[in-house]
């Protein structure tokens, strides 16, 4: 066989093997779905014939939300009007819904408040953490100057922008550091570190307990961004001594587009939480209209202005889907789904066409699979056209988010099979040789 025909022969052999494996994988998917303790939750979401693997960007619509919003608009707003702030519990919604989210974060009640965006909450948390560090371990406490903020070098861009602004406003230096390097890089100069629990691009799960402990040994505080972990895996904020945390609710928590974010402030820090955005909603006497600001006690200090009631109550209805669900079962299914999907991809997709940039090790994996793929933008467009909804991250990453409450093993098998079918006619720029060459430098090509 000539060198020119060898690759074609290998591809043909792989296609035959993949075709033979499809019935086996389909049967395995059916068996896994039949034994899935969370399978009944799928009926609580509005889904269609498409395979929806973009819940790490926007969660599917829970069935309970539309009726609840109709009730809020027609009765609470339409009929009760202003009385709903008290009679319908609008005023206390930020703390009440925070307490519903808290168990998913491993937090006791009274430490989570819902409101504002993730970006706003990152700003509040970082500036307040710098002020607390000054007071507790910095010069005010006879300690060293805490003149730097560490930020996860692979952070979602907005977190980096906010961290840079917070550093400038507080007179600190911002230093980007890889999350895995933070235990070695933190020093007595560090006031706080902002770290992503799961890398949004690769799906890598960072070591929350280890990094938090290392920061504390150096006298620094930890702020964690939980956008890509809350609702997908156990977080353990209280157990691991996390100081502050933020996260969105429109991904794995299925709160809807633009649903409000949340802020966690550890109970012992709340008396010293000095928000850089003091608003009338966080005042000790919000209706006293006192020109002097006096912060409320407890987690209410994290509030700013009037709550987004429609979005808040939609989120509260969405959280009903979590009734009776153990986050440990969610994590077990997440890992099983992503393992199964990767196995299907290896069987169906010719060697060298894609490379997983999501870690194989369970302790380093979130609830998504990111595949490096030449021509990824075009490939994802074709996948969506064929009913498999994921997303694309520049320049060459296909992201597939697995939401255990409604994603099935049959979905995972169909997604991998459709990916192989699309790659058969979308070669992409650079095709297999470029991907394989890059993999030799960066890691193993998937087989």
């Amino acid at each position: 066989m000539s060198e020119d025909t060898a690759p074609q022969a290998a591809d043909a052999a792989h296609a035959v093997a993949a075709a033979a494996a499809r019935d086996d994988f389909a049967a395995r998917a059916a068996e896994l779905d039949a034994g899935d303790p969370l399978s009944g939750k799928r009926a609580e979401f509005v889904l269609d014939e498409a395979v929806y693997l973009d819940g790490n960007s926007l969660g599917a619509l829970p069935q309970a939300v539309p009726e609840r919003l109709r009730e809020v608009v027609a009765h609470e707003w339409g009929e009760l009007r202003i009385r709903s702030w008290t009679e319908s519990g609008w005023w206390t919604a930020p703390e009440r819904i925070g307490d519903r989210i808290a168990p998913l974060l491993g937090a006791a009640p009274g430490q989570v408040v819902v409101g504002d965006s993730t970006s706003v909450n990152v700003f509040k948390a970082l500036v307040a953490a710098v002020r607390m560090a000054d007071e507790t371990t910095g010069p005010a406490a006879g300690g060293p100057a805490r003149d730097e903020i560490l930020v996860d070098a692979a952070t979602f861009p907005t977190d980096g922008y906010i961290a840079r602004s917070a550093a400038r406003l507080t007179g600190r230096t911002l230093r980007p550091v890889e999350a895995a390097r933070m235990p070695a890089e933190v020093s007595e100069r560090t006031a706080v570190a902002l770290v992503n629990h799961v890398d949004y691009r690769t799906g890598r799960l960072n070591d929350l307990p280890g990094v938090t402990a290392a920061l504390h040994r150096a006298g620094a505080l930890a702020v964690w961004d939980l956008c890509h972990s809350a609702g997908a895996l156990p977080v353990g904020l209280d157990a691991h001594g996390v100081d502050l945390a933020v996260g969105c609710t429109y991904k794995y928590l299925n709160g809807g587009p633009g649903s409000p974010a949340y802020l966690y402030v550890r109970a012992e820090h709340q008396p010293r939480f000095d928000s850089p955005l003091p608003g009338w909603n966080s005042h000790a006497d919000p209706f006293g209209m006192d020109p002097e600001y006096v912060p409320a006690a407890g987690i209410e200090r994290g509030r700013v202005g009037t709550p987004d009631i429609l979005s808040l109550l939609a989120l509260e209805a969405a959280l009903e889907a979590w009734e009776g669900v153990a986050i440990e079962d969610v994590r077990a299914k997440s890992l099983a789904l992503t393992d199964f999907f990767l196995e299907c991809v290896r069987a169906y997709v010719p060697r060298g066409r894609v490379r997983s940039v999501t870690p194989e090790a369970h302790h380093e994996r979130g609830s998504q699979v990111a595949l490096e793929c030449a021509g990824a933008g075009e490939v994802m467009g074709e996948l969506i056209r064929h009913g498999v909804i994921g997303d694309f991250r520049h320049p060459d990453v296909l992201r597939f988010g697995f939401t255990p409450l409604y994603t099935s093993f049959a979905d995972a098998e169909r997604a991998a099979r459709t990916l192989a079918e699309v790659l058969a006619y979308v070669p992409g720029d650079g095709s297999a040789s470029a991907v394989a060459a890059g993999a030799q430098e960066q890691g193993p090509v998937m087989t």
Side-chain angles (χ1 to χ4, degrees):
M1 183 179 297
S2 70
E3 291 184 4
D4 291 338
T5 58
Q8 290 88 335
D11 287 348
H14 185 277
V16 171
R22 283 173 190 158
D23 287 345
D24 288 340
F25 279 113
R28 280 180 57 195
E31 183 179 350
L32 289 165
D33 283 330
D36 173 21
L38 297 177
S39 61
K41 287 292 173 180
R42 185 178 175 94
E44 297 184 30
F45 293 86
V46 177
L47 298 167
D48 53 25
E49 295 303 311
V51 174
Y52 189 65
L53 299 181
D54 210 4
N56 54 331
S57 284
L58 177 64
L61 171 66
Q63 297 275 7
V65 171
E67 182 57 37
R68 175 62 178 131
L69 280 180
R70 279 191 286 271
E71 178 188 11
V72 170
V73 171
H75 175 60
E76 296 181 12
W77 180 12
E79 296 174 359
L80 296 181
R81 295 178 287 274
I82 196 70
R83 289 180 292 161
S84 280
W85 285 106
T86 53
E87 294 181 27
S88 300
W90 286 3
W91 184 261
T92 58
E95 294 79 38
R96 181 179 72 245
I97 301 170
D99 282 346
R100 293 196 70 166
I101 292 173
L104 301 177
L105 311 180
Q111 298 178 104
V112 179
V113 64
V114 179
D116 306 311
S117 67
T118 305
S119 300
V120 171
N121 284 324
V122 168
F123 180 74
K124 288 188 283 188
L126 273 182
V127 175
V130 169
R131 292 173 176 176
M132 281 192 280
D134 279 349
E135 180 183 343
T136 58
T137 62
R146 298 279 174 178
D147 60 0
E148 73 171 9
I149 297 172
L150 302 185
V151 64
D152 184 346
T155 192
F156 189 74
T158 292
D159 283 16
Y161 306 154
I162 297 291
R164 189 172 298 113
S165 178
R168 189 167 65 247
L169 288 170
T170 59
R172 266 59 181 183
T173 298
L174 184 68
R175 186 157 64 95
V177 176
E178 291 181 13
R181 292 283 307 158
M182 282 195 180
E185 294 286 337
V186 64
S187 74
E188 65 177 13
R189 293 180 52 198
T190 307
V192 58
L194 171 63
V195 198
N196 291 85
H197 196 193
V198 173
D199 186 299
Y200 79 98
R201 189 171 183 274
T202 67
R204 176 178 291 278
L205 175 64
N206 290 317
D207 181 8
L208 182 147
V211 172
T212 300
L215 290 167
H216 288 172
R217 285 194 297 271
L221 298 175
V223 176
W224 285 88
D225 182 328
L226 309 177
C227 286
H228 284 268
S229 59
L233 52 90
V235 178
L237 294 181
D238 286 355
H240 301 306
V242 169
D243 303 295
L244 302 105
V246 301
C248 65
T249 62
Y250 48 78
K251 300 183 190 296
Y252 296 109
L253 299 183
N254 310 297
S259 57
Y262 55 85
L263 170 69
Y264 164 90
V265 182
R266 192 170 181 83
E268 66 192 70
H269 291 318
Q270 290 175 12
R272 292 186 298 274
F273 181 80
D274 183 7
S275 175
L277 295 173
W280 77 287
N281 258 233
S282 63
H283 197 283
D285 182 14
F287 294 97
M289 304 304 167
D290 190 333
E292 297 298 321
Y293 180 73
V294 179
I299 194 60
E300 290 182 24
R301 289 184 178 214
R303 295 174 66 153
V304 182
T306 306
D308 300 323
I309 290 300
L310 296 182
S311 292
L312 269 171
L313 299 185
L315 169 61
E316 186 172 34
L319 292 170
E320 292 176 11
W322 288 93
E323 290 297 322
V325 175
I327 194 65
E328 292 77 14
D329 289 341
V330 171
R331 177 58 168 165
K333 183 179 177 182
S334 165
L335 292 172
L337 278 168
T338 50
D339 278 344
F340 183 67
F341 176 70
L342 287 167
E343 189 178 354
C344 290
V345 170
R346 291 188 183 97
Y348 295 163
V349 175
R351 179 180 175 83
R353 288 304 311 276
V354 299
R355 183 179 73 87
S356 176
V357 294
T358 300
E360 290 282 339
H362 284 182
H363 71 280
E364 295 180 338
R365 188 194 307 168
S367 198
Q368 75 177 50
V369 172
L371 301 177
E372 205 171 66
C373 174
E378 184 180 2
V379 170
M380 184 52 70
E382 285 299 293
L383 282 170
I384 292 171
R385 194 168 69 85
H386 286 83
V388 174
I389 317 299
D391 66 19
F392 158 67
R393 286 294 177 265
H394 184 80
D396 56 4
V397 171
L398 303 169
R399 288 198 325 170
F400 301 95
F402 292 83
T403 306
L405 291 191
Y406 56 76
T407 304
S408 69
F409 289 90
D411 288 338
E413 189 277 333
R414 179 181 158 194
R417 176 163 34 91
T418 306
L419 174 62
E421 292 166 357
V422 166
L423 290 174
Y425 67 87
V426 181
D429 298 330
S431 68
S433 60
V435 177
Q440 290 176 358
E441 297 178 3
Q442 301 176 45
V445 174
M446 290 190 60
T447 57

